[in-house]
Amino acid sequence: MTVSYSDAFKRQLQRLSRKYRRIRSDVQPLIDQLEAGETPGNQIQGIGHTVYKVRVKNSDAKRGKSGGYRVIYYLHTQDSVLLITIYSKTEQSDIDDAEVADIIRQEES
């Protein structure tokens, strides 16, 4: 399984890494799971694509997974995953379905 990153994901990761130094090592186990063909997290309904939201522990915040990060990813094809966005649950409560669909549209064009 190949894992790619949307521009939105890269921007958010860069922004969050200024505040949370260990974000990349926190996200790496999820990337390893995706590369192994697993689909962790809960599927988001109503977007029209196979999209999942998964909790990731924030080692810098010490709040466990509930106060950690949320990573939204899209099963683009049978063997390709696109990481759509990442956000800290302490900074943002949720992401709008329309925003997720918009990021997917931008990446596919």
Side-chain angles (χ1 to χ4, degrees):
M1 183 81 71
T2 58
V3 177
S4 56
Y5 309 89
S6 71
D7 291 336
F9 182 88
K10 291 176 192 173
R11 279 192 304 275
Q12 286 295 90
L13 186 67
Q14 182 67 34
R15 186 185 65 77
L16 289 168
S17 69
R18 292 186 197 112
K19 185 174 182 181
Y20 305 110
R21 297 284 179 212
R22 292 183 266 189
I23 188 170
R24 285 181 173 80
S25 61
D26 288 342
V27 172
Q28 191 57 50
L30 170 64
I31 294 170
D32 294 342
Q33 279 185 296
L34 293 170
E35 287 175 340
E38 298 175 34
T39 54
N42 299 320
Q43 188 169 356
I44 302 173
Q45 302 297 324
I47 294 182
H49 298 282
T50 309
V51 177
Y52 289 83
K53 176 167 49 174
V54 64
R55 292 176 170 185
V56 176
K57 183 179 143 208
N58 181 343
S59 298
D60 294 303
K62 305 288 187 225
R63 293 193 182 123
K65 286 185 177 182
S66 64
Y69 309 109
R70 298 298 181 274
V71 175
I72 311 290
Y73 67 93
Y74 165 46
L75 291 179
H76 187 60
T77 64
Q78 195 80 10
D79 57 352
S80 142
V81 173
L82 175 67
L83 296 179
I84 297 173
T85 192
I86 182 172
Y87 59 93
S88 172
K89 190 64 175 172
T90 57
E91 295 177 11
Q92 181 178 342
S93 62
D94 214 352
I95 188 166
D96 189 67
D97 290 350
E99 189 176 341
V100 171
D102 189 45
I103 293 169
I104 292 171
R105 253 192 315 279
Q106 288 174 11
E107 290 298 320
E108 289 184 334
S109 58

